[in-house]
Amino acid sequence: MSSIEIDRVSKAYDGPLVVDSLSLSVPSGTVFGLLGPSGCGKTTTLRMIAGLLRPDSGDIRFDGVSVLAVPPERRAIGMVFQQHLLFPHMNVEQNVSFGLRMQGVRPAASRSRVDEALDLVRLGGMQRRYPAQLSGGQQQRVALARAVVTNPGVLLLDEPLSNLDTRLREQMRALIRSVQRRLGITTIVVTHDQGEAMELSDQMAVMFDGSIAQVGRPVELYARPDSARIARFLGATNLIPARVVDTTAADLLRIDTPFGSLDVCPGNSAPTTGTPRVVASIRCEHVAIVDRHMDGPTDSGVSVRDGARNIFAGVIDDVVVGAGRITYTIDVRGTRITAVEVSDAERTRGSTVQVRLPCDRVRLLPFDPGLAGA
Amino acid sequence: MGAREATIVIGTGSRGRGFDSTSRGVRVALWIVFAVFSFPFVPLVVASFAFRWHWPSVVPTEWLWTARDASTVPVGWAYLFSRVSQLGPAFANTAFIGVAVAFLAVALALPAARVIARYEFRGKSFFEFASLMPVIVPQISIGIGTLLLFLRLGLVRTHVGVILAHLVPTLPYALRIMTAVFQNLDHGYEEVAQTLGAGRVQRFVRVVLPLVLPGVATAGLFAFLISSNVFLLTFLVSGGRIPTLPTMLFSHIESGAPLDATTAGLVVIVSLPGIAFLLLTDRLTGQRLSLASLGSPVQPAVGGRA
């Protein structure tokens, strides 16, 4: 299995840079997620790794060896595209064995490897079917089998699940993970779906406007984003414009928000610009709703002081009941705070509640004029 | 039966699936369409068996078989199938030229269409316009120009000359059809083949060609049909030395006689390849389509277009 290094790669179609001096390295045998909104250059990056596009500058290395001069057909890669792109004139067996045939593997040997690959994606016995006779999920699984049957050093997945419905997508994620683990193949998956990237990747990068904004393990990125934009892209969060007022206390940081002052545990700040203006981010599921009649937080493990300080009264403005979780929009002195509760006990709209923002869950991010208050 | 197939080819030109031919209303409608299309052929077929048929009689006053003994020379079908008529050589010439033109037109249109569909290049719009010129410019101008050129090149009165001349009116259609086919062919198939280790030749032979085959067949058949109907170019370039079905037909009409049984029969024969090949096109594309159907890249621009 190959390690992949991308070294200051840039690419422009006619006009501005689509990928701007991008560098990243993927250790052998791991899954790397490339996450970003559409048009951020992630697919362009993947296509350059595949060799389908040529970088304008920079280098791409597999196992330390530059592959820029190697055409895609000799890069030993497997690729799954957004559309399954199964050859409609070939049956499943012919599709999956295509890569083997290109390598000159004899039909007898090829057959057993095709069977193996199809078992891997749980499609044993479908050899004689034609792509048109398969469901969308099956088609994509055949495409996966076709990509891995040749034992490529690198597996590239370009939004492989975006054409499937939700339920199928979850199954497919699990399948991709199990196939990857079984084969130990170095994998890069490109997606705009943060859940997909987080579930699939060992390491992932968030990409905006042709460059990588942040790299790290998915949990790390989710909990400790570097900017408001990353925080919001990775999941529902409250972004509150704030001003740092007191940095004297060693164990607590105090910030001013539109609805009152808030205590923040130190050490949970992104490398900021040093100005007092910041954006405070707190994930919706970390906002605790406390009923009014209670005197204070009852959940264990929270110090009384902490609880007492970061509690604010608010009125429930909107209730959206989802599957097993309820999303509330709460008006806290003019600021709308979104809270998600894993519960099926619905609170009524218009009722007054207390909202607690746990101090260790509030992350301070650099001030972002485009996002503050959004 | 033939009715359904023929009308589908003319009408839809895409996946025959959408047609619910089992519905009664649709079937009736299809038969009406078929009747309209075949209406002109009915008097033609009748005339080819008529010895005497004057206005205002609805049916011939005298049939061929009753008049056979009265005539000293063979007439109508008997004449056509006799050695004297030259129908055999004309048929052979038409078929040979048509097949050659079809193959050449497709061979030339295929790479050109691929480039037009895939790439942007300087002068592309001019090229596309120029490729339509033969359809816009009157055939007599093309014919005279070709004749003058071929006289110098020594191609007049040769089969090669006639074939080359026939490429002029056929190429625009072949090019149009093939361009549409390539525009509908997802480039991703080639890319996926490439990541699977297929080189340029393998990609073309194993992936592209099978996928565009219905389009290729359609383009070829149209080239053949057009070629087998060309009179003027054949007449000019062959100098009357290479008889084809159309030139033979025109020489009969030329003689100034009203529609006699022989001419009517000839017209019927001339129409046959067209009908046969329309049915064949449907067969060919229909089969491919049912196989490729879901998310099919291949939507041959059959029918409608030409």
Side-chain angles (χ1 to χ4, degrees):
Chain A
M1 297 303 126
S2 314
S3 66
I4 304 166
E5 275 158 66
I6 297 173
D7 188 7
R8 285 164 293 165
V9 160
S10 295
K11 176 74 188 175
Y13 305 106
D14 307 311
L17 287 173
V18 182
V19 174
D20 187 358
S21 192
L22 181 139
S23 297
L24 60 87
S25 81
V26 182
S28 172
T30 63
V31 182
F32 193 91
L34 212 47
L35 174 70
S38 64
C40 74
K42 55 192 192 302
T43 294
T44 302
T45 305
L46 196 75
R47 292 172 66 81
M48 287 193 286
I49 298 169
L52 297 169
L53 279 177
R54 208 182 160 70
D56 295 338
S57 64
D59 197 10
I60 295 169
R61 291 184 286 268
F62 289 179
D63 284 330
V65 181
S66 174
V67 291
L68 282 192
V70 183
E73 57 264 38
R74 290 208 298 275
R75 279 197 191 185
I77 51 170
M79 190 158 175
V80 178
F81 294 79
Q82 193 168 343
Q83 301 88 9
H84 58 80
L85 291 174
L86 296 178
F87 305 125
H89 57 294
M90 299 182 194
N91 64 25
V92 168
E93 159 144 35
Q94 290 163 330
N95 261 288
V96 176
S97 67
F98 188 87
L100 295 172
R101 237 185 309 158
M102 294 301 114
Q103 291 180 347
V105 175
R106 280 178 300 112
S110 148
R111 202 160 302 134
S112 67
R113 285 173 69 178
V114 168
D115 293 348
E116 234 170 83
L118 285 177
D119 284 342
L120 205 59
V121 296
R122 296 184 208 120
L123 282 178
M126 297 282 201
Q127 279 83 338
R128 299 271 162 266
R129 300 271 187 100
Y130 276 87
Q133 299 169 310
L134 302 175
S135 71
Q138 290 172 329
Q139 289 168 336
Q140 202 58 312
R141 273 144 71 194
V142 175
L144 181 63
R146 180 174 66 172
V148 298
V149 75
T150 52
N151 277 324
V154 172
L155 177 62
L156 305 173
L157 309 173
D158 184 8
E159 306 259 8
L161 313 180
S162 58
N163 279 352
L164 305 177
D165 60 49
T166 319
R167 187 188 298 263
L168 223 49
R169 218 179 279 185
E170 274 162 32
Q171 292 172 4
M172 217 20 214
R173 275 184 212 170
L175 186 76
I176 288 175
R177 259 204 325 254
S178 84
V179 167
Q180 192 275 336
R181 289 220 182 101
R182 184 88 73 83
L183 303 175
I185 184 170
T186 313
T187 303
I188 297 184
V189 54
V190 155
T191 174
H192 64 270
D193 180 319
Q194 51 93 16
E196 203 170 294
M198 294 187 53
E199 271 189 45
L200 286 174
S201 327
D202 296 315
Q203 289 269 315
M204 67 188 246
V206 179
M207 245 183 113
F208 294 126
D209 310 321
S211 348
I212 288 178
Q214 196 178 354
V215 186
R217 290 191 306 121
V219 280
E220 234 167 66
L221 257 60
Y222 186 76
R224 305 176 65 80
D226 276 352
S227 73
R229 199 173 175 194
I230 298 169
R232 200 164 70 161
F233 197 74
L234 288 179
T237 192
N238 294 287
L239 294 171
I240 305 152
R243 183 177 288 273
V244 180
V245 290
D246 185 4
T247 53
T248 50
D251 56 341
L252 275 182
L253 208 70
R254 175 159 293 181
I255 59 171
D256 248 354
T257 69
F259 52 85
S261 69
L262 201 61
D263 288 339
V264 181
C265 299
N268 199 5
S269 303
T272 50
T273 48
T275 61
R277 293 183 80 185
V278 292
V279 175
S281 165
I282 178 161
R283 296 275 174 212
C284 299
E285 69 272 20
H286 293 149
V287 177
I289 301 176
V290 192
D291 288 316
R292 195 158 192 216
H293 57 83
M294 288 188 200
D295 287 329
T298 48
D299 22 350
S300 57
V302 181
S303 75
V304 175
R305 192 197 58 179
D306 168 35
R309 278 196 188 161
N310 281 352
I311 289 183
F312 304 92
V315 179
I316 294 180
D317 225 23
D318 193 27
V319 182
V320 178
V321 180
R325 57 200 311 201
I326 305 175
T327 305
Y328 299 98
T329 308
I330 301 157
D331 188 329
V332 180
R333 291 188 213 159
T335 300
R336 290 160 75 86
I337 301 279
T338 307
V340 172
E341 269 192 326
V342 180
S343 156
D344 50 8
E346 189 182 338
R347 296 168 194 276
T348 49
R349 209 170 141 241
S351 63
T352 303
V353 291
Q354 307 230 28
V355 166
R356 187 168 59 82
L357 311 174
C359 99
D360 57 335
R361 296 297 198 183
V362 180
R363 184 166 173 81
L364 298 188
L365 304 168
F367 179 73
D368 183 335
L371 282 168
Chain B
M1 161 57 257
R4 212 193 100 247
E5 299 177 68
T7 39
I8 282 182
V9 167
I10 292 158
T12 69
S14 64
R15 32 193 94 173
R17 284 188 154 217
F19 252 96
D20 185 9
S21 54
T22 53
S23 138
R24 202 186 155 81
V26 170
R27 240 183 311 174
V28 170
L30 285 172
W31 275 109
I32 292 171
V33 172
F34 178 67
V36 170
F37 273 103
S38 51
F39 181 70
F41 288 99
V42 177
L44 215 53
V45 174
V46 174
S48 73
F49 290 103
F51 186 70
R52 220 185 297 277
W53 190 11
H54 295 298
W55 196 81
S57 318
V58 179
V59 289
T61 40
E62 190 166 10
W63 293 96
L64 214 52
W65 46 87
T66 54
R68 194 183 294 150
D69 305 325
S71 164
T72 47
V73 289
V75 285
W77 291 105
Y79 168 79
L80 284 173
F81 286 116
S82 73
R83 201 168 278 270
V84 202
S85 74
Q86 291 289 307
L87 180 70
F91 199 89
N93 277 331
T94 307
F96 171 71
I97 292 167
V99 168
V101 167
F103 270 95
L104 275 175
V106 167
L108 290 171
L110 194 95
R114 200 178 110 93
V115 170
I116 290 175
R118 284 281 160 73
Y119 304 102
E120 292 302 322
F121 53 88
R122 268 186 63 167
K124 177 175 170 174
S125 54
F126 174 77
F127 181 80
E128 280 184 285
F129 171 71
S131 73
L132 269 182
M133 289 289 277
V135 183
I136 301 162
V137 175
Q139 247 186 32
I140 186 75
S141 328
I142 299 168
I144 301 290
T146 313
L147 181 62
L148 291 176
L149 185 69
F150 281 12
L151 274 170
R152 299 206 174 183
L153 296 173
L155 286 170
V156 171
R157 284 180 219 129
T158 63
H159 278 83
V160 176
V162 174
I163 290 166
L164 288 179
H166 279 198
L167 280 177
V168 176
T170 50
L171 257 179
Y173 292 104
L175 197 59
R176 284 274 133 164
I177 294 170
M178 291 309 300
T179 306
V181 169
F182 273 108
Q183 273 165 348
N184 284 318
L185 177 70
D186 192 330
H187 187 47
Y189 288 111
E190 281 166 84
E191 291 186 336
V192 101
Q194 199 174 7
T195 65
L196 290 168
R200 189 180 286 268
V201 177
Q202 286 164 319
R203 292 201 293 277
F204 185 76
V205 174
R206 288 178 186 270
V207 177
V208 176
L209 207 54
L211 291 178
V212 300
L213 209 57
V216 167
T218 310
L221 291 176
F222 268 100
F224 181 93
L225 279 184
I226 294 166
S227 161
S228 66
N229 274 309
V230 171
F231 162 71
L232 199 58
L233 285 172
T234 319
F235 181 73
L236 288 173
V237 172
S238 73
R241 295 289 177 82
I242 302 170
T244 63
L245 291 178
T247 58
M248 197 177 154
L249 181 62
F250 271 79
S251 69
H252 273 267
I253 292 173
E254 225 174 16
S255 60
L259 188 70
D260 62 11
T262 311
T263 313
L266 199 52
V267 173
V268 170
I269 289 174
V270 170
S271 321
L272 282 180
I275 294 165
F277 278 110
L278 268 181
L279 294 178
L280 197 64
T281 319
D282 182 52
R283 241 329 117 68
L284 252 158
T285 53
Q287 201 176 17
R288 273 290 158 181
L289 281 176
S290 65
L291 207 128
S293 94
L294 261 179
S296 164
V298 195
Q299 297 183 357
V302 200
R305 196 164 273 278

